Amino acid sequence: MIRSKDGTSIGPLASKAQFEKVQGLITKGIEEGANLIAGGPGRPEGTTKGYYVKPTVFADVQNDMAIAREEIFGPVLCILPYDDEDHAVRIANDTPYGLSGYVTSGDIEHARRVAKRIRAGNVHINGARLDFGGCFGGYKQSGNGREWGEAGLEEFLELKAIFGYAASTK
């Protein structure tokens, strides 16, 4: 764990392979013309070992760029412009993945309506944290099945259906 003077902290990625994947995607984002706002390739300043990645922010990302299309699983934020709410939802759903999505709004009812339209296994409204009582898992290529909560327990059950088993007449 690396802690900065202001009290924020970042942890390392899980493996060398993941570190290299994230570094490659950051480089690809720059090559494809995304506007690098913060961070970039390499480790955070003063760090020479470990799988630490600079927290990176890209603006002016287009939805056909690799950094918009891939599940990065690293500290990389991609900001995509949109014209209106329908366009934003189309962008959010235009992906082969669907692990998590986020909606922020000053109007909670509006946020709920938008969240219902996003095709992801989890949608967080206004920065809501995970709740282990709820289920966790993705849509599409982000995985099948669920963990946590009642749905996660069901993963351990073997269900059986018996067809043609008539009800007793006694």
Side-chain angles (χ1 to χ4, degrees), residues 1-10:
M1 186 75 62
I2 298 174
R3 293 201 191 284
S4 69
K5 292 176 185 175
D6 68 2
T8 58
S9 60
I10 61 170

Side-chain angles (χ1 to χ4, degrees), residues 67-82:
I67 56 174
R69 305 299 305 165
E70 295 294 320
E71 288 183 311
I72 297 176
F73 291 115
V76 179
L77 175 66
C78 300
I79 302 170
L80 286 76
Y82 60 91

Side-chain angles (χ1 to χ4, degrees), residues 1-4 8-23 26 39-56 73-76:
M1 186 75 62
I2 298 174
R3 293 201 191 284
S4 69
T8 58
S9 60
I10 61 170
L13 299 183
S15 67
K16 180 179 181 184
Q18 184 62 24
F19 174 82
E20 290 172 351
K21 177 185 176 189
V22 173
Q23 292 295 322
I26 291 170
R43 290 180 173 87
E45 189 176 319
T47 307
T48 59
K49 60 183 180 177
Y51 303 130
Y52 293 93
V53 173
K54 291 178 191 174
T56 299
F73 291 115
V76 179

Side-chain angles (χ1 to χ4, degrees), residues 104-167:
T104 302
S105 174
D107 178 345
I108 191 69
E109 291 303 320
H110 181 230
R112 289 174 179 155
R113 286 192 304 274
V114 172
K116 288 178 183 178
R117 296 174 62 194
I118 295 176
R119 301 268 312 139
N122 298 118
V123 180
H124 303 257
I125 295 174
N126 293 337
R129 295 185 167 273
L130 294 174
D131 179 348
F132 292 106
C135 64
F136 176 81
Y139 281 20
K140 303 179 255 184
Q141 291 181 29
S142 288
N144 293 319
R146 293 293 178 259
E147 299 175 15
W148 310 343
E150 186 175 326
L153 291 174
E154 289 175 358
E155 292 286 319
F156 295 97
L157 300 178
E158 291 183 334
L159 303 176
K160 179 190 283 188
I162 300 176
F163 300 100
Y165 192 93

